[in-house]
Amino acid sequence: MKKTQQFSLKIFNSAIFISIILTGCSDDKKNSAGSDSILPNAHNSSMNSLTVSNTSDPILGLAIDNKINTIMKKTGATAVTIAIAKHGIMKYEKAYGFQDAQKAIPLKADALLRTASIVKPITAAAIRKLANDGKLSLSDHAFCTGSNAPCWLPATLLSPSSDPRAKDITIQQLIVHQGGRSRNHDPFGSEAQCKAVSAPCPPSRIDVVKYMMTLPLDYTPGSPGHLDGYSNFGYLILGMIIEQASHTSYTQYVQNSLMKPLGISSNDFKAGESLPADHDQREPIYISKQMAPSVFNIGKEAPFAEEGFVAKNWLAVGSSISTAKAMALFASAYKLPHGEMLGRSSTNDGNHLGGLDGSATIIRQLPSGVSYSILLNIAIGGDDYRSLQTHLDEASKLIF
C-alpha cells in the first residue's frame, strides 16, 4: 500500500493529464484591467458562423462577433456558443464555427458542449434544493462510519487506513471546497493509472472514491485558508449524495428539479460521454492539446479530451454537456459560485470558470440582472478568460 500511495501521489502531481483553470468568484479590479474595446469593427466580422439570435441590436452583435472571432483565431477554437439573458429572459444566442473537423457542418446555437467546472454551481444548487425540500441537511456528514449519523455514503467506501478525520466531512464543507482534499491530490486526470491502484479499468466512481479514501487528508475538514483546496473530488462526492438523496440519477435530478422550472428542456442538459463515438449528435469535436494514457485502452497514448477520463464518473464535476442558453438561464436564478437561489428581484456579481483539455467555459451574472455563458471546444489561457469576461461584461451594458 505504501508503494502504491507514493506512485499515485507522483501521478496526481503531474500536470500532463489535465489543466483545470477555475475560480468561484469574480474580481472586478482584475477584470477591469482588460484592454479590449467593444466598438464594432466591420472589417473583422466576416468569419463563417451560424447565427440564431433574438436580438436586433447590430452594435451588440458586432461587438460580440469581433471578440469571439479574435479569440477563435488566437486559440484555434472551431466551435463556440454564447447566450445572454437579462432577468431570466433570453436576449441573445449565437454559435460560431463548425461541428465537425472538416468544417463542413455549421455549429448551431443549441449545440451541446462540455460544461467543464461551470457545472459545479449547478451541483451545489441541486444539493441546496434537496436541503430546502427536507431531504438532507448541509450539516450532514458525507461518509457513514456507524457512529456519525446523519450521514450519506456507505461505510464500505472507507477502509481501516482511511483518515479518521474523514468522518467529520460535511456536505457544506464540500460545497465550499473545505472537505480536506487539496487541488494537488485530485484524482481527475489520473484514472488511467487504475492498475497502479488495483482497480479495474476503466474505474468506476466507487473505485475512485475507495482509493482516494485510503489516502490521508491534506488538512482538517472545515479549516479555512487553504488556497489550493479547490477540489474536483469533493464535487464527485456531492454528485453521489445527490443520487442517494433523490433516488434518481444526477442528470435526471438536475433536469427535473432545476432546469425544468426555468423552462429549460431536458435536451439542453445531458450526461456527457468520453469517447467521440458516444458523443451526442449535437456535440462538436473537442480539440485536444494533451496526450495522456488512455483510461479505456491501457498502454495506449490518446488525446486526453477523448480517452483521458471517464466522463460518466464526473458529471457533477465537469463532464456534463449543456447549451449556452441553459447555463445563462441557470445563472439568472442561482447565485454563483455556490448555488444559492436568487430572490425574484435579486441580482448578484459572481462567476465561475471551467477548463479542461478540449474545453473552456464561463458562466457569469452581473448586478444589472444580465447573465451569460460562453462555451468553447478548446482549452484557453488565463489571459483569454479575463479578456473574454471583461469584454462581455462591457458588451452587456448594451442590453436593455
Side-chain angles (χ1 to χ4, degrees):
M1 179 63 70
K2 185 175 180 181
K3 288 184 179 179
T4 299
Q5 289 181 358
Q6 290 175 342
F7 178 77
S8 299
L9 291 178
K10 182 177 180 181
I11 293 166
F12 293 151
N13 287 322
S14 173
I16 66 168
F17 295 122
I18 187 163
S19 173
I20 297 281
I21 309 169
L22 303 138
T23 184
C25 57
S26 62
D27 185 333
D28 291 336
K29 291 182 180 179
K30 289 182 180 179
N31 291 337
S32 64
S35 60
D36 298 304
S37 170
I38 68 165
L39 293 177
N41 179 350
H43 297 293
N44 293 329
S45 61
S46 60
M47 184 170 184
N48 288 331
S49 63
L50 180 68
T51 303
V52 180
S53 174
N54 56 353
T55 182
S56 59
D57 189 332
I59 296 178
L60 173 65
L62 282 175
I64 294 175
D65 284 353
N66 287 339
K67 185 60 185 178
I68 303 304
N69 292 339
T70 298
I71 285 289
M72 292 179 76
K73 290 175 182 177
K74 178 181 178 182
T75 64
T78 61
V80 179
T81 57
I82 183 170
I84 307 174
K86 187 166 187 179
H87 298 304
I89 299 172
M90 286 304 304
K91 296 290 185 178
Y92 188 86
E93 294 179 79
K94 189 165 184 177
Y96 297 79
F98 302 91
Q99 184 166 330
D100 59 328
Q102 294 73 33
K103 299 182 179 180
I105 305 172
L107 193 71
K108 295 182 179 180
D110 69 346
L112 292 161
L113 281 84
R114 284 177 182 159
T115 60
S117 281
I118 64 172
V119 81
K120 286 187 173 72
I122 291 177
T123 299
I127 283 284
R128 293 185 189 280
K129 178 69 166 62
L130 287 164
N132 290 340
D133 290 345
K135 303 295 185 182
L136 55 76
S137 173
L138 300 186
S139 61
D140 289 351
H141 294 116
F143 295 96
C144 295
T145 64
S147 60
N148 67 336
C151 56
W152 284 96
L153 300 184
T156 53
L157 293 176
L158 302 178
S159 72
S161 65
S162 293
D163 193 312
R165 295 173 294 178
K167 72 181 187 305
D168 299 321
I169 300 170
T170 68
I171 292 173
Q172 173 64 22
Q173 289 166 355
L174 294 175
I175 290 174
V176 297
H177 301 279
Q178 292 183 355
R181 188 68 65 194
S182 78
R183 186 191 296 264
N184 288 336
H185 295 162
D186 201 315
F188 189 81
S190 59
E191 290 174 289
Q193 305 300 327
C194 46
K195 284 193 173 181
V197 298
S198 301
C201 300
S204 67
R205 283 186 307 179
I206 289 176
D207 295 324
V208 172
V209 173
K210 279 186 172 181
Y211 171 68
M212 289 300 295
M213 298 314 293
T214 67
L215 305 179
L217 296 179
D218 299 300
Y219 59 88
T220 299
S223 299
H226 291 276
L227 298 180
D228 66 343
Y230 186 95
S231 177
N232 290 307
F233 181 68
Y235 270 72
L236 180 149
I237 297 301
L238 289 175
M240 295 174 72
I241 293 173
I242 289 167
E243 294 185 347
Q244 285 279 99
S246 68
H247 304 289
T248 188
S249 72
Y250 170 81
T251 303
Q252 288 178 327
Y253 184 76
V254 168
Q255 288 171 341
N256 294 334
S257 298
L258 300 184
M259 298 301 186
K260 187 176 180 179
L262 297 176
I264 299 168
S265 166
S266 60
N267 289 323
D268 283 0
F269 183 87
K270 296 183 176 182
E273 295 282 353
S274 297
L275 300 174
D278 298 326
H279 287 179
D280 191 277
Q281 61 182 359
R282 289 158 56 198
E283 265 182 285
I285 63 164
Y286 297 105
I287 300 174
S288 185
K289 294 182 178 180
Q290 299 179 18
M291 297 295 288
S294 170
V295 72
F296 299 96
N297 298 284
I298 302 305
K300 172 187 173 184
E301 289 283 312
F304 181 89
E306 298 179 0
E307 298 187 35
F309 63 101
V310 183
K312 65 183 179 182
N313 288 349
W314 302 94
L315 300 178
V317 178
S319 56
S320 293
I321 54 176
S322 177
T323 61
K325 174 182 177 179
M327 300 306 296
L329 288 177
F330 170 82
S332 72
Y334 292 90
K335 187 176 180 180
L336 303 176
H338 295 140
E340 301 93 338
M341 183 174 285
L342 284 170
R344 184 175 297 274
S345 59
S346 299
T347 61
N348 185 52
D349 185 2
N351 79 336
H352 207 297
L353 309 182
L356 67 156
D357 186 40
S359 301
T361 56
I362 300 174
I363 189 172
R364 178 81 165 113
Q365 56 193 186
L366 294 160
S368 63
V370 167
S371 58
Y372 66 77
S373 177
I374 182 168
L375 301 93
L376 298 83
N377 71 333
I378 197 169
I380 64 175
D383 288 343
D384 292 324
Y385 279 104
R386 286 186 287 271
S387 178
L388 263 175
Q389 183 168 305
T390 298
H391 187 89
L392 293 174
D393 283 3
E394 187 68 18
S396 73
K397 295 176 182 178
L398 298 171
I399 295 176
F400 296 96

